[in-house]
Amino acid sequence: MALYMLYEAASGYSLFLAHGLDEIGQNTEAVRGSVSDMNRFGKVVQLVAFHPFESALDALNQCNSVSEGAMTDELRNFLELNLPKVKGVKKPKFSLGVSDHKIGSHIFEVTKIPCESNEFIHELLRGVRLHFDRFIKDLKPGDLEKAQLGLGHSYSRAKVKFNVNRVDNMVIQAISLLDTLDKDVNSFSMRFREWYSWHFPELVKIVNDNYLFAKVAKFIEDKSKLSEDNLPELTEVLGDEDKAKEVIEAAKASMGQDLNPVDMINIQMFAQRVMELAEYRKNIHEYLIEKMNGIAPNLAALIGEIVGARLISHAGSLTNLAKCPSSTLQILGAEKALFRALKTRGNTPKYGLIFHSSFIGRASARNKGRMARYLANKCSIATRIDCFAENGTNVFGEKLREQVEERLDFYDKGVAPRKNIDVMKSAMETANDDAAEEEDKSTVTTNGDGAEPKSEKKKKKKEKRKLDDDSNGVAAIEVEEDVAEKKKKKKSKTESVDGGEADGEVKKKKKKNKD
């Protein structure tokens, strides 16, 4: 059986014929050793046809199609023109070797050309790639390298191309940084509380918040200098006059030791660092909320920005999360517990990262698993809408959140929730109305005062339709009245005829009686 090989180069499609191969003794190691020698390899593999790409854009399109496992029309014409024809009844006496089994299966489905992809084919194609410039004699030195470099750059640029307003990588980095900052701020705050407690130990029990503790400690500095004169400023820092008085009273009778100026300077610098880290953590949290509302507004509206960002980060991207079924999304983050349960044949986990949602906490212990399954279902829907919808809106997320709330009420109180089809219809209507309003605003801003907005045009069209309907209705009423009058006339005629016939019969009876 003849073996043809398809090689997709940066400059075009090429078809090779490998002859003189023993199918039974196809040894991969032997081929791997003979590939490097062109004299031996050239006797086995010969070029059959070469089809160059028309332009760099054409090469990029062909490369994208091949990488996705799809056969283009150009590739199909090239194969059908240069390969032996395949008859429907007879088994073909050749096969086509390809580098990827996906494109091989697509070629076989469309053209019925038998394709194969294995280690033996890969080694032969490796040899073709190594000696490709010798097979194509018209290529000048450096042309192939330039084509490969240009196609590589354009292919990578097309793969990395993204929408600036919808970059899920920023969400992944932000949530990772937020987790790291939480750990760092907590550890630094505990270290600072322990350090400053050597000087003023009573302050720890009065001020519990870490950020506020660092702020108060930076304001107080040396406790011996704190007096009643500092009460207004300390009240402004703490936000509570009673606490400020308590701090001043505790400073007067404090059991802490005195510190030298150098130690106090280091403590104050550390307090400033802790405050800056806490403020930076707050800014990152606001940035994450803003990004989530731009990238996944429905998921953020349904389950919250933080939990939604954790799901995206754990899945790797918004697209990967959208591809996950709801059963996978439900236990996302509990992989260790899942595999441990499968190994020990125990109970599998009911929830993963979605456990941090408020809905799971509000559900009773009996209904936590049901609530997690239902919430994962809605999160999967919201994620797919965010990933594949063209217009970003949080209408669907709000409606899905209402459904989850209704499901909670159903589990607790037995109130029947609305049907999903009704909720989605209302969501589609509101989304379409919002889109129409945005279009009207854009047309008003672009056209200016002289142009008529679309909403007014729509109103005028509706008024015209109403007038037409009214006129048609009046005409229909007149026609109905004419028909009714004609029917009345016919009835009167028939009644008069019937009356005359009855009078004649009465007269005949009277004559008979007289006789």
Side-chain angles (χ1 to χ4, degrees):
M1 181 182 286
L3 176 62
Y4 289 89
M5 291 181 297
L6 175 66
Y7 176 63
E8 307 91 1
S11 54
Y13 291 121
S14 55
L15 192 65
F16 291 88
L17 174 62
H19 56 84
L21 297 174
D22 188 5
E23 294 181 4
I24 300 174
Q26 286 180 354
N27 190 357
T28 306
E29 294 295 332
V31 174
R32 188 177 291 122
S34 62
V35 157
S36 57
D37 189 5
M38 178 58 187
N39 294 325
R40 295 174 59 188
F41 189 74
K43 295 177 181 178
V44 177
V45 178
Q46 292 181 354
L47 178 66
V48 176
F50 175 70
H51 177 72
F53 295 133
E54 296 178 357
S55 61
L57 182 61
D58 184 30
L60 178 61
N61 295 331
Q62 298 294 331
C63 184
N64 286 327
S65 301
V66 169
S67 64
E68 293 171 0
M71 180 181 63
T72 60
D73 295 335
E74 189 175 353
L75 178 58
R76 180 179 179 179
N77 295 332
F78 173 68
L79 293 176
E80 290 178 349
L81 184 64
N82 296 288
L83 286 175
K85 293 183 179 180
V86 179
K87 297 181 180 179
V89 181
K90 295 183 179 179
K91 185 179 179 181
K93 297 181 180 180
F94 69 95
S95 62
L96 179 65
V98 293
S99 57
D100 190 7
H101 64 90
K102 291 182 180 180
I103 191 169
S105 60
H106 191 226
I107 290 172
F108 178 72
E109 288 176 3
V110 177
T111 62
K112 302 302 178 183
I113 296 173
C115 298
E116 56 179 318
S117 177
N118 49 38
E119 291 186 6
F120 181 72
I121 300 295
H122 291 167
E123 289 299 326
L124 289 175
L125 289 174
R126 188 172 69 86
V128 169
R129 189 184 307 111
L130 181 63
H131 306 293
F132 184 72
D133 54 345
R134 298 186 183 181
F135 284 109
I136 309 298
K137 296 180 181 180
D138 295 335
L139 284 177
K140 297 179 181 178
D143 287 349
L144 186 61
E145 287 77 7
K146 290 179 182 178
Q148 290 173 348
L149 186 64
L151 181 60
H153 284 177
S154 57
Y155 181 75
S156 303
R157 196 179 299 114
K159 285 292 180 185
V160 177
K161 187 184 264 187
F162 53 81
N163 185 358
V164 180
N165 298 321
R166 299 185 66 180
V167 189
D168 50 3
N169 187 36
M170 300 298 125
V171 170
I172 296 171
Q173 299 298 331
I175 192 64
S176 302
L177 179 59
L178 198 65
D179 293 338
T180 307
L181 282 175
D182 285 336
K183 295 177 183 177
D184 293 344
V185 168
N186 288 331
S187 59
F188 288 164
S189 299
M190 294 303 296
R191 178 63 58 193
F192 178 74
R193 289 166 79 95
E194 185 180 353
W195 195 358
Y196 193 73
S197 294
W198 286 97
H199 177 65
F200 193 179
E202 292 81 8
L203 187 63
V204 177
K205 296 180 180 179
I206 300 172
V207 182
N208 296 322
D209 187 64
N210 292 330
Y211 177 74
L212 198 59
F213 182 87
K215 201 172 181 181
V216 172
K218 190 173 187 308
F219 172 76
I220 294 173
E221 293 185 358
D222 192 358
K223 64 181 180 180
S224 59
K225 297 179 182 179
L226 193 64
S227 61
E228 296 290 339
D229 298 335
N230 303 116
L231 182 61
E233 298 173 357
L234 188 60
T235 304
E236 186 179 353
V237 173
L238 280 169
D240 189 356
E241 188 175 357
D242 296 334
K243 274 192 176 183
K245 290 179 180 179
E246 191 177 352
V247 169
I248 292 173
E249 292 297 327
K252 292 178 181 178
S254 177
M255 298 291 292
Q257 66 180 10
D258 295 331
L259 298 175
N260 60 35
V262 177
D263 296 336
M264 186 59 69
I265 288 171
N266 284 314
I267 289 175
Q268 294 300 312
M269 290 175 65
F270 191 37
Q272 184 65 32
R273 294 282 180 175
V274 172
M275 291 168 59
E276 289 175 355
L277 267 180
E279 290 173 358
Y280 181 62
R281 192 258 176 210
K282 185 179 178 182
N283 294 334
I284 288 293
H285 184 260
E286 294 175 355
Y287 166 78
L288 179 63
I289 291 173
E290 183 183 354
K291 277 292 179 183
M292 278 296 294
N293 289 326
I295 294 168
N298 294 295
L299 184 64
L302 173 61
I303 203 171
E305 290 84 2
I306 301 298
V307 183
R310 290 188 197 282
L311 288 172
I312 293 173
S313 176
H314 198 82
S317 67
L318 183 63
T319 307
N320 292 344
L321 186 63
K323 292 176 182 178
C324 291
S326 59
S327 58
T328 304
L329 194 147
Q330 180 181 348
I331 59 172
L332 205 64
E335 289 83 5
K336 288 184 179 179
L338 174 65
F339 291 117
R340 184 172 61 248
L342 293 175
K343 188 177 181 181
T344 59
R345 295 185 180 179
N347 294 328
T348 55
K350 297 178 182 177
Y351 27 67
L353 290 171
I354 60 172
F355 178 76
H356 298 286
S357 173
S358 60
F359 296 113
I360 308 296
R362 288 162 55 191
S364 60
R366 180 185 174 187
N367 297 321
K368 282 187 184 293
R370 298 177 184 176
M371 202 65 224
R373 185 168 61 250
Y374 188 80
L375 182 61
N377 183 13
K378 298 305 173 185
C379 287
S380 180
I381 294 172
T383 307
R384 289 166 188 175
I385 293 172
D386 290 329
C387 182
F388 301 110
E390 295 180 357
N391 299 323
T393 176
N394 63 346
V395 174
F396 295 96
E398 296 290 342
K399 294 293 182 182
L400 293 172
R401 187 180 182 87
E402 291 176 5
Q403 280 189 291
V404 179
E405 293 281 358
E406 291 174 1
R407 182 64 59 162
L408 269 176
D409 294 337
F410 172 70
Y411 288 145
D412 295 339
K413 304 173 185 177
V415 181
R418 292 176 293 172
K419 290 184 178 180
N420 188 42
I421 187 170
D422 298 332
V423 177
M424 289 297 106
K425 280 182 180 179
S426 63
M428 286 293 295
E429 289 174 0
T430 52
N432 292 332
D433 293 340
D434 294 341
E437 288 179 2
E438 289 179 0
E439 287 181 1
D440 293 342
K441 289 179 182 178
S442 62
T443 50
V444 168
T445 53
T446 53
N447 295 339
D449 298 332
E452 216 174 19
K454 288 185 179 180
S455 59
E456 293 181 1
K457 291 181 179 179
K458 289 181 179 179
K459 288 179 181 178
K460 287 186 176 181
K461 286 182 180 179
K462 287 181 180 179
E463 290 176 359
K464 286 181 180 179
R465 287 176 184 173
K466 286 182 180 179
L467 292 173
D468 294 337
D469 294 339
D470 294 339
S471 60
N472 293 332
V474 170
I477 290 168
E478 291 177 355
V479 170
E480 288 177 356
E481 288 178 354
D482 295 336
V483 171
E485 288 178 359
K486 289 180 181 179
K487 286 182 179 179
K488 285 180 181 179
K489 289 179 180 179
K490 286 181 181 179
K491 284 182 180 179
S492 60
K493 287 180 181 179
T494 52
E495 287 175 357
S496 61
V497 171
D498 295 337
E501 290 177 356
D503 294 338
E505 289 178 357
V506 170
K507 289 178 180 179
K508 287 179 181 178
K509 286 180 181 179
K510 285 180 179 180
K511 287 180 179 179
K512 287 180 181 179
N513 292 330
K514 287 178 180 179
D515 296 336

